């Protein structure tokens, strides 16, 4: 399968857009079907496009009406609590990605600091290159490592 | 390297047996489904509504521009309203903010990818240096004498880190006098007593421990580049 990175923007080329729509619509409906089957749940999809006068639906017009009826029979609060549109959905994804980024940066920082600690230990790196914040983090890491060593020494002596 | 999950597996297209797997699958696939729907709307400019009931009888829905109008439009089989000027303006605003959000998402995702690559690279370097230097190995792999030796070295390093930190803080609150009018001398260069050519204090004691092959080298050029920061 050709895995190209897709630019998340409206496709201006008409024929490319139409072809993309056809492919992705098929893929989307397939995913709907799989989700319904695997989890044994009710789902429905309605798609309005310039390429079809009538909306394209899944599982069937009758099936859609049934799901809508069940949906509308729920209290308003229940309906809306997990309802999203593009803006709210994208907002959620951005927040999640930002959190993952922060976490990854923290991990990288610790890896980097560990390198600095070991290099300084054998005199391969002077401490002059480090700013106050770096020195603080380094001190913390050394402390933490010493604690781990103490733990290990203790358990070996038992 | 440990595997965190089983990876891609072929799955039977029928109701899942394990209750907990079913719940996890629902959660992941629902999220992926909404993502695909969102992309379809962005890329092809179409309007979509999706309703999904969870195994726990809660309901999730996604709609672009919004769930309710699309449901109503389907039920009443009405053609879409003639777009008044106001409606068009509202739609234009909405499209602009969606465009903005997509760009932001792309940006953060790219940053995340780059950061992950950096992490991989750092991990690789760590593994390479662990092969050469016994003191970099995980703590569990070290024997008692090595642990004690390492601890001593680290304590020495900690003292120097504290010293250097104090020195910097002192310099910050007591800047060197009037170098602004000086004859070309750089403001930041004050002679530094702790210079790199001295054998570090902590490594000096290593030679007395007498473990052949276990001694940490005094000043050992490991051949790594500097400048992680």
């Amino acid at each position: 399968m050709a895995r190209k990175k897709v630019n998340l923007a409206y496709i201006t080329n008409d024929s490319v857009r139409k072809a993309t729509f056809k492919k992705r619509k098929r893929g989307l409906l397939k995913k709907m079907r799989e989700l319904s089957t695997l989890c044994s749940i009710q789902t429905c999809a309605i798609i309005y496009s310039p390429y079809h006068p009538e909306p394209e639906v899944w599982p069937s017009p009758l099936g859609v009406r049934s799901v809508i009826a069940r949906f509308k029979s729920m209290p308003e609060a229940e309906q809306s609590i997990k309802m999203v549109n593009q803006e709210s959905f994208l907002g959620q994804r951005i927040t999640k990605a930002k959190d993952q980024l922060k976490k990854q940066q923290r991990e990288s920082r610790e890896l980097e600091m560990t390198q600095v600690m070991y290099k300084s230990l054998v005199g391969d790196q002077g401490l002059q290159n480090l700013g106050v914040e770096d020195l603080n983090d380094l001190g913390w890491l050394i402390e933490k490592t010493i604690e781990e060593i103490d733990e290990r020494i203790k358990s070996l002596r038992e | 390297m440990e595997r965190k999950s089983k990876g891609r597996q072929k799955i039977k297209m029928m109701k899942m047996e394990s209750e907990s797997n079913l719940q996890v699958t629902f959660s992941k696939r629902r999220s992926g489904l909404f993502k695909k729907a969102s992309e379809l709307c962005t890329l092809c400019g179409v309007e979509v509504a999706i309703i999904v009931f969870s195994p726990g009888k809660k309901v999730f829905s996604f709609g672009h521009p919004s769930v309710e109008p699309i449901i109503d439009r389907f039920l009443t089989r009405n053609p879409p309203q003639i777009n008044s000027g106001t409606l068009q303006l509202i739609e234009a605003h909405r499209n602009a903010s969606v465009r903005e959000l997509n760009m932001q998402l792309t940006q953060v995702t790219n940053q995340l990818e780059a950061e992950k690559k950096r992490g991989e690279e750092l991990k690789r370097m760590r593994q390479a240096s662990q092969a050469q230097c016994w003191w970099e190995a995980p703590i569990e792999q070290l024997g008692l004498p090595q642990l004690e030796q390492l601890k001593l070295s680290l304590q020495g390093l900690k003292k120097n880190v504290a010293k250097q930190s104090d020195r910097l803080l002192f310099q910050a609150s007591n800047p060197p006098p009037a170098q602004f009018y000086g004859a070309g001398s750089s403001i930041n260069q004050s002679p530094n007593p702790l210079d790199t050519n001295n054998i570090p204090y902590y490594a000096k004691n290593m030679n007395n421990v007498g473990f052949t092959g276990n001694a940490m080298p005094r000043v050992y050029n490991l051949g790594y580049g500097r400048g992680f920061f």
Side-chain angles (χ1 to χ4, degrees):
Chain A
M1 186 172 294
R3 293 277 157 147
K4 268 180 293 182
K5 194 161 172 151
V6 171
N7 182 23
L8 274 181
Y10 181 71
I11 299 174
T12 44
N13 181 318
D14 290 345
S15 54
V16 173
R17 188 173 69 248
K18 184 172 179 180
T20 303
F21 172 72
K22 202 171 157 198
K23 229 194 243 175
R24 280 180 173 259
K25 182 206 69 191
R26 199 171 60 234
L28 185 69
L29 297 180
K30 180 180 176 198
K31 290 283 183 185
M32 292 277 303
R33 191 168 53 245
E34 291 180 351
L35 179 61
S36 278
T37 309
L38 288 171
C39 301
S40 187
I41 50 170
Q42 268 192 304
T43 63
C44 80
I46 304 168
I47 304 175
Y48 283 101
S49 71
Y51 311 109
H52 284 94
E54 295 295 317
E56 298 180 75
V57 301
W58 194 88
S60 64
L62 221 58
V64 172
R65 283 179 190 276
S66 157
V67 173
I68 291 178
R70 185 179 167 192
F71 179 70
K72 283 191 181 273
S73 73
M74 298 180 81
E76 277 293 329
E78 285 293 318
Q79 288 178 36
S80 52
I81 195 168
K82 291 294 184 183
M83 184 184 290
V84 294
N85 56 21
Q86 277 276 57
E87 282 143 296
S88 49
F89 184 63
L90 289 171
Q92 286 173 1
R93 286 185 66 200
I94 290 171
T95 303
K96 183 167 173 200
K98 279 186 176 165
D99 286 343
Q100 288 177 316
L101 180 63
K102 250 190 263 181
K103 181 176 172 203
Q104 188 64 49
Q105 283 170 331
R106 233 185 352 220
E107 288 176 9
S108 294
R109 170 92 175 153
E110 180 157 337
L111 275 169
E112 242 179 7
M113 266 303 163
T114 308
Q115 290 276 48
V116 170
M117 181 175 80
Y118 286 132
K119 297 289 174 286
S120 315
L121 210 53
V122 296
D124 200 47
Q125 166 154 10
L127 299 177
Q128 299 86 288
N129 302 330
L130 305 178
V132 176
E133 199 180 297
D134 294 336
L135 289 169
N136 272 352
D137 291 351
L138 181 56
W140 177 88
L141 183 63
I142 298 172
E143 187 62 54
K144 181 175 131 171
T145 311
I146 292 177
E147 277 173 18
E148 287 173 19
I149 292 178
D150 282 337
E151 276 295 314
R152 180 72 182 156
I153 291 178
K154 200 170 100 172
S155 73
L156 281 181
R157 289 207 173 126
E158 281 161 10
Chain B
M1 180 126 91
E2 300 167 39
R3 281 215 105 174
K4 288 191 180 154
S5 58
K6 281 165 111 178
R8 283 223 146 131
Q9 306 218 305
K10 194 151 170 79
I11 194 167
K12 276 213 181 98
M13 213 28 70
M14 50 186 236
K15 180 177 177 183
M16 302 190 76
E17 293 164 354
S18 155
E19 180 66 45
S20 57
N21 282 355
L22 194 150
Q23 188 52 53
V24 171
T25 299
F26 171 77
S27 192
K28 287 183 167 180
R29 277 181 178 257
R30 183 208 55 81
S31 173
L33 183 71
F34 281 17
K35 181 179 168 199
K36 288 286 186 189
S38 169
E39 291 179 352
L40 182 65
C41 294
T42 301
L43 295 169
C44 306
V46 298
E47 302 189 345
V48 168
I50 294 183
I51 301 175
V52 168
F53 283 93
S54 76
K57 308 287 190 273
K58 302 284 177 204
V59 69
F60 294 76
S61 55
F62 170 92
H64 175 70
S66 161
V67 174
E68 309 261 301
I70 295 186
I71 293 181
D72 292 339
R73 184 173 157 192
F74 174 79
L75 289 178
T76 62
R77 320 205 99 241
N78 269 353
Q81 299 167 284
I82 320 270
N83 269 346
S84 74
T86 323
L87 283 180
Q88 281 183 331
L89 191 61
I90 294 177
E91 191 177 318
H93 271 291
R94 187 172 44 220
N95 287 343
S97 83
V98 170
R99 244 195 320 272
E100 182 71 44
L101 288 168
N102 269 319
M103 283 197 323
Q104 223 187 327
L105 179 61
T106 303
Q107 194 185 45
V108 179
T109 308
N110 287 342
Q111 280 179 295
L112 180 59
E113 233 169 284
E115 197 63 43
K116 274 189 184 153
K117 276 209 179 98
R118 198 167 88 105
E120 296 288 306
E121 185 58 43
L122 285 169
K123 273 192 195 137
R124 255 197 299 269
M125 289 178 68
R126 179 121 173 77
Q127 285 181 323
S129 56
Q130 277 183 343
Q132 295 188 310
C133 318
W134 64 259
W135 56 93
E136 295 201 25
I139 308 251
E140 300 73 49
Q141 292 178 12
L142 298 176
L144 202 52
Q146 294 168 318
L147 287 171
E148 306 202 326
Q149 186 177 350
L150 183 57
K151 180 175 167 178
L152 272 171
S153 306
L154 285 173
Q155 283 169 329
L157 179 61
K158 187 166 157 216
K159 285 205 182 92
N160 269 357
V161 166
K163 254 194 226 151
Q164 179 65 8
S165 183
D166 287 342
R167 181 178 291 117
L168 285 184
L169 290 173
F170 178 79
Q171 279 178 355
S173 48
N174 298 279
Q179 290 190 357
F180 296 94
Y181 308 107
S185 61
S186 157
I187 295 179
N188 288 329
Q189 297 312 335
S190 28
N192 197 331
L194 188 77
D195 92 33
T196 10
N197 291 329
N198 289 341
I199 296 170
Y201 159 88
Y202 26 87
K204 259 197 201 152
N205 294 329
M206 291 306 102
N207 288 335
N208 298 336
V209 182
F211 294 95
T212 352
N214 279 352
M216 285 167 64
R218 285 208 280 174
V219 181
Y220 186 108
N221 186 359
L222 297 165
Y224 295 103
R226 297 170 190 270
F228 286 109
F229 305 111

